[in-house]
């Protein structure tokens, strides 16, 4: 049988509405990933660089090698995906997919995954995962990988947000871009009411998705959540939205290159 | 720095209650995985064996290679995990973890993943995934992998269910085991009321986890779910519970070896 390249019938009609819809859908994914990770205790040997058998920590090995495998079959052809270990990626083994490019070429390579990695492991994880070690290292590391990929996709989606906003009103952004004025760009991209609404929505979603559902709804389970809803609100307010705006600013600074 | 082996402080105190609690928690995982997969259309080139670049289909390649990577760091040391491609697994690169064995040695290797694979791709997937091709092949295949792993873990958990039930009342099962009488074992393991309750519970969970959550709750979103709740009830009634009982029967048939 002769082999043929893969191709999709998608076409990129990105609008501010479709970008918003994607961001809202990604909230569900992030919350599902956090809930799944919270099933396991911290399992700290995963993060210990002195564990035998692999270079670095076990979680680093698993993320790096999974990215390498997924790179071979085209994950990082998509401008929505950004690797944590870009220096480690092998070439494609499938024919290239030729995804239509909507981003400005100078902005495509923006990658703040180093910051996301450090924030996730050092600040976020201790907030929602209990102490302990149940030995489920590979499933736990897989949950970490999913959390990292979901957060990275959400935060780097700022490139698309910035592109759409710029195309909508280039005259609003161009003076600050020409002046390379980060502070003005950041204030142009900040809408406190919208951010407050997003924080409330992810808190509500965590209450819905993180509840214990049973047929008889006993009272003692009411108000108990698998992940603290206010923690997810804080995650968005302190990290996800500020980092998304950082990506937007970085993108806009290069938009007229 | 000298490298040390990893170890956990878990001890295996498995009871019928703890097994039930795990099965109930795994329902949430399965439903989250189905909802995530339903975000993407069918993306049929993933399942096409004539696509260039990899042996077999792209999804088969991704599952096989991910299992190989996870095997090296110990996923399949756990008796809860069963690979889809056991013939493909490389040796451990980390020190063995020495998980305490609660299963009877003759039953550990029972693996019905071939049936789970065929059921998932041929019967289940067309029931909850829309037509179309959006080009998101690797994220889609990753969702398939998560669905397969979650279903496989749930179904093979039947080994633990069977072991606990046997230890609880060996005299109930031993005559049928000695007679290698599948039909009697199956009827000993069948509790229609419990199965009906499980079906209702997963339907309710899908309504909760699969709803659109927004701050203002518009009426037009009411009763719309990302995955059809009755489909998940059917998935459990026609496949998950019968296949779990099949694993239990297979396990018990070897329990006195």
């Amino acid at each position: 049988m002769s082999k043929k390249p893969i191709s999709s019938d998608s076409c990129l009609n990105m609008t501010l509405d479709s970008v918003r819809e994607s961001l809202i859908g990604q909230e569900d994914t992030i919350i599902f990933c956090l809930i799944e990770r919270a099933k396991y205790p911290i399992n700290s040997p995963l993060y210990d660089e002195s564990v035998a058998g692999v270079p670095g920590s076990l979680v680093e090995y698993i993320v790096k090698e999974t990215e390498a495998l997924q790179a071979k079959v085209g994950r990082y052809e998509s401008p929505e995906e950004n690797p944590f270990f870009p220096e480690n990626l092998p070439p494609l083994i499938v024919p290239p997919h030729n995804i239509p490019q909507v981003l400005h070429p100078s902005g495509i390579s923006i990658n703040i995954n180093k910051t996301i990695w450090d924030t996730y492991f050092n600040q976020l994880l201790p907030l929602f995962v209990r102490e302990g070690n149940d030995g489920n290292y590979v499933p736990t590391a897989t949950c970490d990988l999913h959390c990292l990929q979901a957060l990275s996709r959400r935060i780097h989606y700022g490139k698309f947000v910035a592109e759409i906003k710029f195309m909508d009103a280039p005259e609003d952004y161009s003076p600050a871009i020409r002046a390379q004025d980060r502070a003005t760009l950041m204030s142009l991209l900040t809408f406190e009411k919208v951010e407050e609404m997003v924080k409330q929505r992810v808190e509500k979603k965590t209450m819905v998705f993180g509840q214990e559902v049973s047929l008889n709804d006993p009272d003692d389970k009411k108000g108990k959540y698998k992940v603290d809803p206010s923690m997810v609100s804080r995650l968005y307010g302190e990290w996800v939205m500020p980092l998304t705006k950082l990506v937007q600013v970085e993108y806009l600074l290069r938009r007229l290159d």
Side-chain angles (χ1 to χ4, degrees), chain A residues 63-72 75-77 81-92 111:
Chain A
V63 173
K64 229 180 225 177
E65 294 299 315
T66 306
E67 286 194 341
L69 157 61
Q70 295 185 348
K72 287 196 276 184
R75 183 181 190 105
Y76 301 106
E77 279 193 288
E81 304 288 342
N82 296 271
F84 284 84
F85 298 97
E87 66 287 357
N88 189 47
L89 299 180
L92 277 180
N111 185 330

Side-chain angles (χ1 to χ4, degrees), chain A residues 164-211:
Chain A
I164 299 266
K165 286 184 174 174
F166 177 84
M167 290 298 285
D168 232 34
E171 65 283 7
D172 290 357
Y173 299 96
S174 296
I177 296 172
R178 281 196 205 92
Q180 293 286 293
D181 178 352
R182 288 169 177 275
T184 298
L185 287 171
M186 188 57 94
S187 81
L188 284 170
L189 295 166
T190 299
F191 300 91
E192 280 175 20
K193 273 193 185 166
V194 175
E195 293 182 12
E196 193 47 48
M197 201 188 64
V198 172
K199 284 173 61 181
Q200 285 176 21
R201 188 173 56 226
V202 295
E203 184 160 348
K204 184 174 171 188
K205 283 184 174 182
T206 310
M207 287 180 181
V208 173
F209 302 146
Q211 63 185 301

Side-chain angles (χ1 to χ4, degrees), chain A residues 44-233:
Chain A
S44 54
L46 268 178
Y47 315 111
D48 182 345
E49 301 206 348
S50 65
V51 160
V54 294
S57 69
L58 201 52
V59 79
E60 193 179 319
Y61 177 82
I62 290 172
V63 173
K64 229 180 225 177
E65 294 299 315
T66 306
E67 286 194 341
L69 157 61
Q70 295 185 348
K72 287 196 276 184
V73 286
R75 183 181 190 105
Y76 301 106
E77 279 193 288
S78 164
E80 293 181 28
E81 304 288 342
N82 296 271
F84 284 84
F85 298 97
E87 66 287 357
N88 189 47
L89 299 180
L92 277 180
I93 60 170
V94 295
H97 184 201
N98 297 323
I99 293 171
Q101 291 302 345
V102 289
L103 298 177
H104 188 71
S106 309
I108 290 175
S109 63
I110 291 164
N111 185 330
I112 63 161
N113 274 337
K114 178 83 183 69
T115 305
I116 296 171
W117 179 280
D118 291 341
T119 304
Y120 176 76
F121 287 112
N122 299 330
Q123 301 191 258
L124 182 58
L125 204 50
L127 292 182
F128 75 102
V129 166
R130 66 183 190 281
E131 284 300 303
N133 182 347
D134 68 1
N136 283 311
Y137 301 122
V138 183
T140 305
T142 307
C143 289
D144 284 330
L145 169 67
H146 300 159
C147 288
L148 287 167
Q149 287 183 330
L151 288 166
S152 173
R153 192 182 306 111
R154 168 62 175 81
I155 289 165
H156 288 97
Y157 222 77
K159 298 178 196 176
F160 296 97
V161 177
E163 175 63 23
I164 299 266
K165 286 184 174 174
F166 177 84
M167 290 298 285
D168 232 34
E171 65 283 7
D172 290 357
Y173 299 96
S174 296
I177 296 172
R178 281 196 205 92
Q180 293 286 293
D181 178 352
R182 288 169 177 275
T184 298
L185 287 171
M186 188 57 94
S187 81
L188 284 170
L189 295 166
T190 299
F191 300 91
E192 280 175 20
K193 273 193 185 166
V194 175
E195 293 182 12
E196 193 47 48
M197 201 188 64
V198 172
K199 284 173 61 181
Q200 285 176 21
R201 188 173 56 226
V202 295
E203 184 160 348
K204 184 174 171 188
K205 283 184 174 182
T206 310
M207 287 180 181
V208 173
F209 302 146
Q211 63 185 301
E212 297 281 356
V213 179
S214 60
L215 286 176
N216 49 1
D217 282 326
D219 281 341
D220 64 327
K221 299 265 177 141
K222 283 265 184 300
K224 281 191 187 170
Y225 304 108
K226 292 167 204 156
V227 166
D228 176 7
S230 69
M231 188 284 293
V232 180
S233 170

